[in-house]
Amino acid sequence: IEDKSTIDKFGLQPFYTTVRFYFTKMLSRAFTRTAAARSAINWAALTSSLDGEAVGAINRFRAVVGEVESLATLYSAEPPPIDFESYRSKLTNSSVVDDFEAEYSAVTFPKFEGAIKPEFESKSEEIIANASDAVAESKAAIAELETRLAAMNHIRHGNPSVTDVYAAYPEIQAEVDEEIETHQWCKDIN
């Protein structure tokens, strides 16, 4: 409810608190089942190899997780029962309180079962498999790039042979071979 003055004006705070409690209780049960997974997150290790923008996104997500955990903790206990007798004694027309009490006792809140849908499980397994493939591809690309970097450093700072240059820059070998075949001996001389 956006306008809390309405809640306070009519003395509905206990009702609002109770409804909010049951809603957040349903959410907290969903998150409680994954508490072990959440507590296993090593945030420092997760952000140690990332750049500024990615670290900012991870920290914003971490704040959301912290907020959900604090709400789950806040609403983990049952709310205190509403003291309808107290409200009856404060109002001259106690039939209003009787109506609220009748409506309140008629409310049933849905129970969260916490079952994970099979399509979510299959989708999450697919995402994990794709991520594993991406990690393997990245490791292979890193190894290839490190090899190329070592070859380039050797060419730049060492005593490279023509074979070393061709290995590091295969496009140069193709260009040189083409110039030899077409007899362009002085093409690159100014």
Side-chain angles (χ1 to χ4, degrees):
I1 295 175
E2 297 297 322
D3 186 15
K4 294 197 187 309
S5 64
T6 304
I7 293 171
D8 295 335
K9 180 179 175 183
F10 293 107
L12 299 175
Q13 185 61 42
F15 299 110
Y16 176 73
T17 304
T18 303
V19 170
R20 183 177 171 138
F21 165 77
Y22 282 109
F23 178 71
T24 54
K25 183 137 179 137
M26 288 188 313
L27 287 176
S28 71
R29 284 184 184 152
F31 286 102
T32 302
R33 294 207 164 108
T34 59
R38 280 194 325 274
S39 65
I41 296 173
N42 184 348
W43 296 103
L46 186 62
T47 58
S48 65
S49 62
L50 300 175
D51 64 354
E53 187 176 324
V55 169
I58 294 292
N59 286 335
R60 286 190 299 277
F61 177 69
R62 183 179 184 182
V64 169
V65 168
E67 184 179 342
V68 168
E69 287 176 342
S70 67
L71 283 174
T73 303
L74 178 65
Y75 292 107
S76 62
E78 291 286 331
I82 299 172
D83 185 9
F84 289 104
E85 291 304 319
S86 166
Y87 289 107
R88 281 189 188 93
S89 66
K90 293 177 184 176
L91 296 174
T92 56
N93 185 2
S94 64
S95 65
V96 173
V97 177
D98 294 335
D99 293 341
F100 273 114
E101 186 175 17
E103 289 294 324
Y104 178 75
S105 60
V107 173
T108 58
F109 295 99
K111 302 292 183 201
F112 179 73
E113 298 301 323
I116 296 176
K117 294 183 177 178
E119 62 265 13
F120 172 76
E121 292 224 0
S122 65
K123 189 70 170 174
S124 65
E125 289 172 4
E126 178 184 331
I127 289 171
I128 290 170
N130 290 343
S132 298
D133 293 345
V135 166
E137 290 173 7
S138 296
K139 286 182 179 179
I142 288 170
E144 178 185 335
L145 290 172
E146 285 176 346
T147 304
R148 288 188 73 187
L149 181 63
M152 288 177 186
N153 282 334
H154 173 67
I155 289 170
R156 223 172 147 195
H157 304 292
N159 188 12
S161 66
V162 173
T163 307
D164 293 336
V165 173
Y166 286 166
Y169 303 101
E171 64 276 2
I172 291 178
Q173 181 179 9
E175 182 181 345
V176 169
D177 289 343
E178 180 186 338
E179 289 175 5
I180 291 172
E181 287 178 18
T182 59
H183 302 287
Q184 295 177 353
W185 308 113
C186 300
K187 176 184 173 194
D188 294 326
I189 298 176
N190 292 331

